Amino acid sequence: MTPGAWLLLALLAVLCTGAGWRRLRARAGRSAASPPAGPPPGVLDRIGAAVLATDPGGRLIYLNADAVRLTGLDPEAALRQPLAELLPGLSPDPESVAPSARTLRLPGTAGGEVEWETRALPATDGGAGGLVWVFRHAGDPGPVERQLRLFARVFEHSADAIMVTDGEGRIVRVNEAFTRITGYSPAEVLGRNPRMLQSGLHDEEFYAGFWNALRKEGTWQGEIWNRRKNGEIYPQWMSIGTLDAEAGEVVHFVAIFTDITDKKRSEDTIHYLAYYDGLTSLPNRPLFEEKLVQALRDGQRNGRWVAILYLDLDRFKDINDSLGHASGDRLLRSVATRLLETVRNNDVVARLGGDEFVILLSDLADGNAAGRAAATVARKVIAALADPFNLEGHEVLVTASIGVALAPQDGEDAGELIKNADTAMYQVKSSGKGHYQFFSREMNLAIRRRLRLEHSLRKALEHDEFHLVFQPQVSVRQGTVIGMEALLRWRQPHGEIIPPGEFIQLAEETGLILPIDEWVLRRACAQARSWVDAGIRDFRLAVNLSGRQFHRRGLILLVGRILSEIGLEPRYLELEITEGSVMADIDRAVEVLRGLRQMGVRLAVDDFGTGYSSLSYLRRLPIHTLKVDRAFIREIATSTQDAAIVEAIIRLGHSLGLQLVAEGVEQPEQLSVLEDQGCDSVQGYLLSRPLRAADATSLLTSGRMPQTGAR
């Protein structure tokens, strides 16, 4: 039992027995010579310890119920008997017993001997007096002792570290958790100042606030970084309180702390997931918007400009569909790396989602400086993406459409600025992709029309608003019709005809091109079958495939299924794929083209000359036809450069055993140059506008060129 507990029990015993009782009675006005009336009934029987009292001669004058039970003495026989005879080993000499504690062996109630822990206090008024004995069974702790033992166990086995210092700040007690967390044993810290644990990360202001809270409120709580014995700096959550003496003097400080390293790591992970893109490690949309808002505020305050570049990767969906999502993810990570290499350290590159990125340029001097900086970065981005990406052995070419918006010119809040840059980016998409454009107010009209078209396009298939027209392909040498190209047209219910250049791009961006492509292929094959049934045998029907459809897995099965369902021989079908779609993934393209050719389908590369083809790539393609893009045909009769390019393409194609078709022929002079250069066949308004199915049937049957065409 602790000294404090013994002191409480002994003071209670003195108060209630012998001299203590006489003092109480004297203060109440009774004679000091009166015999003791004994303690208040039952008080000492409930204190949880044995109590005996002796007179100055060492004779027993009192014992409580616990003393009777534990010593086995008969109260009536033992009273007035020398205590030394009743309990050998207990000395009646006050100087030999007070205030120490001893362990004795006394007769037990069940025979044998029992160990007793005893303490004796003088019961005097300043002169000679008796003794009060307080003792208990060593294995039978009382309520106070049990509480003290419980508190000791809680202290030692707490999961939180506990450190106690004296009023001077010297460590006087630590528990096991303290050693586990800090690495210091009790022997290494006792008597030392807790400053030995400081990390050095906190400044004087931090500690000033710390001590100020302790002085004013007697407590402080918060996050603090300290250092372990091994030198590791780590975060703690600490609560410190003061223990004051009655005079208000701080006698102890008690600090309780936990290691929150794992908690901080979890918080950091949560913060990362909330504000960074998990794939590229770039800031995500929420963090980008926060940085943009701050940049706009700084710009308004300091009279500086801000620019943002909104990027969308061209044909990314084709690559994702053909190579799989894993390759698509690798491409996005590589693009992120290249983008970071094009900007300054204080610029921000973020991924908004999918294949969309955005770059923030801030602290620009004025509008001219902002425009120049944005244009420079845009050109750097286009150049950085020009080199092929290697995705598990597949060389992939990627371009980006970039929209630019400047603040405060194009918007003074983050939402408006992002929207306007996005609008400019879509304007690039619709005008050829692969370059950049600054936002203008007129673009808002175009974007509103685009939104209306997108809404209508989603219903066009369901409402049967599409139809096919057919443009003849004519042999230059013989003047005969050798085939048709199926072209898609969209007539809205109110009669407006939407140009293909306006809605095809929209269909590709929204993903609606896939069902539209399948509808076109099925309708075209059905028309070809009707021509075969009508006895027409010498023709081919060309059908365009979008890049998304070409790179979609299962294309070969889809074409085979449609041909089988309609009953059309594959030799009548020619599939046209743009050069850009082929070059996006040359290895995958070769595999798909080979499968289609083995099926018996004819294959053509459309818009040839506008992409990145080289002779080595072209030799690998199992195709039948090259179609020269109309951009080279337009000035072929007046531009020696265009004429030379077309002649080179024709010779290249013939050297590889390919047929050459020139599209967009609208003038006799163009046809004459193509004939001189040895082009195999042509198509265009000079020969025929696209025809309705009935007119195309008549032309294939008679072989005569029509005078008019249908839209």
Side-chain angles (χ1 to χ4, degrees), residues 107-127:
T109 56
E113 295 181 336
V114 180
E115 287 190 354
W116 301 96
E117 188 176 11
T118 69
R119 184 174 290 266
L121 296 174
T124 70
D125 292 322

Side-chain angles (χ1 to χ4, degrees), residues 1 72 115 128 140 177 214 235 237 268 275 293 423 506 618 623 626 630 661 672 699 704:
M1 183 179 292
E115 287 190 354
D140 182 25
L214 281 177
W237 184 260
D268 291 344
Y275 288 101
V293 168
T423 298
L506 182 60
L618 190 59
I623 58 176
L626 282 183
R630 66 181 64 244
V661 177
S672 178
L699 180 59
R704 294 180 293 104

Side-chain angles (χ1 to χ4, degrees), residues 360-603:
L360 168 62
L361 312 178
S362 58
D363 195 28
L364 303 170
D366 51 36
N368 290 332
R372 288 194 301 270
T376 298
V377 172
R379 287 192 292 268
K380 285 183 177 180
V381 168
I382 292 171
L385 299 180
D387 291 334
F389 292 84
N390 192 300
L391 305 178
E392 293 187 341
H394 297 272
E395 282 200 343
V396 175
L397 288 168
V398 175
T399 59
S401 298
I402 306 173
V404 182
L406 309 178
Q409 171 182 294
D410 300 326
E412 297 186 0
D413 67 82
E416 183 181 12
L417 202 63
I418 293 173
K419 178 179 71 67
N420 290 339
D422 185 32
T423 298
M425 183 272 293
Y426 274 110
Q427 191 68 22
V428 175
K429 286 280 191 185
S430 62
S431 61
K433 304 179 182 180
H435 61 281
Y436 68 93
Q437 189 166 337
F438 285 83
F439 171 78
S440 66
R441 294 293 170 184
E442 291 73 19
M443 290 181 181
N444 281 324
L445 298 176
I447 201 66
R448 284 197 290 270
R449 172 174 171 79
R450 182 183 183 279
L451 291 174
R452 290 195 300 270
L453 283 180
E454 181 179 343
H455 178 74
S456 299
L457 187 60
R458 294 184 181 279
K459 300 179 180 180
L461 267 181
E462 178 183 347
H463 295 168
D464 198 26
E465 297 175 14
F466 291 121
H467 66 279
L468 295 182
V469 293
F470 304 89
Q471 187 170 42
Q473 294 178 343
V474 180
S475 170
V476 174
R477 180 174 302 175
Q478 299 176 356
T480 57
V481 177
I482 61 172
M484 296 280 179
E485 179 180 0
L487 302 173
L488 180 64
R489 295 292 183 263
W490 178 19
R491 185 188 297 272
Q492 292 188 302
H494 54 75
E496 181 184 4
I497 296 177
I498 309 301
E502 190 170 348
F503 74 84
I504 293 297
Q505 177 65 39
L506 182 60
E508 289 183 349
E509 293 171 3
T510 59
L512 295 172
I513 194 65
L514 294 177
I516 291 175
D517 266 357
E518 185 171 345
W519 181 90
V520 170
L521 183 59
R522 190 175 293 275
R523 285 295 182 92
C525 288
Q527 181 61 59
R529 172 61 192 270
S530 70
W531 289 336
V532 173
D533 291 344
I536 302 171
R537 296 287 189 272
D538 190 13
F539 75 93
R540 63 184 183 229
L541 179 59
V543 177
N544 291 279
L545 282 182
S546 68
R548 293 196 67 177
Q549 188 70 264
F550 179 68
H551 289 288
R552 185 184 186 186
R553 294 188 181 278
L555 172 64
I556 297 174
L557 293 177
L558 174 65
V559 173
R561 185 176 70 250
I562 291 176
L563 290 173
S564 176
E565 290 174 358
I566 292 176
L568 179 67
E569 292 182 45
R571 65 186 180 92
Y572 292 109
L573 176 64
E574 181 174 74
L575 295 179
E576 294 186 2
I577 303 97
T578 64
E579 181 185 7
S581 297
V582 171
M583 300 309 299
D585 180 6
I586 185 66
D587 296 317
R588 169 70 178 166
V590 169
E591 179 184 346
V592 174
L593 293 173
R594 185 177 292 121
L596 292 170
R597 177 160 183 154
Q598 289 174 351
M599 186 186 300
V601 174
R602 292 182 58 86
L603 301 169

Side-chain angles (χ1 to χ4, degrees), residues 147-164:
Q147 288 289 342
L148 293 172
R149 289 187 179 181
L150 174 62
F151 294 153
R153 287 196 298 270
V154 171
F155 180 88
E156 287 299 334
H157 300 295
S158 170
D160 295 340
I162 303 175
M163 176 179 63
V164 182

Side-chain angles (χ1 to χ4, degrees), residues 1 5-7 9-10 13 44 47-54 60 62-73 83 86-88 90 100-109 114-121 131-143:
M1 183 179 292
W6 277 110
L7 180 60
L9 293 174
L44 293 181
I47 68 173
V51 180
L52 301 93
T54 61
L60 183 65
Y62 175 78
L63 71 167
N64 70 353
D66 282 339
V68 171
R69 178 174 58 82
L70 297 174
T71 65
L73 297 175
L83 184 60
L86 296 172
L87 299 173
L90 292 183
S100 63
R102 293 178 293 173
T103 300
L104 304 175
R105 297 187 69 81
L106 302 175
T109 56
V114 180
E115 287 190 354
W116 301 96
E117 188 176 11
T118 69
R119 184 174 290 266
L121 296 174
L131 293 172
V132 174
W133 298 81
V134 183
F135 60 101
R136 65 173 180 79
H137 192 297
D140 182 25

Side-chain angles (χ1 to χ4, degrees), residues 254-266:
V254 178
I256 302 174
F257 61 86
T258 58
D259 182 348
I260 58 171
T261 301
D262 291 340
K263 179 176 180 291
K264 291 289 291 184
R265 188 176 294 118
S266 298

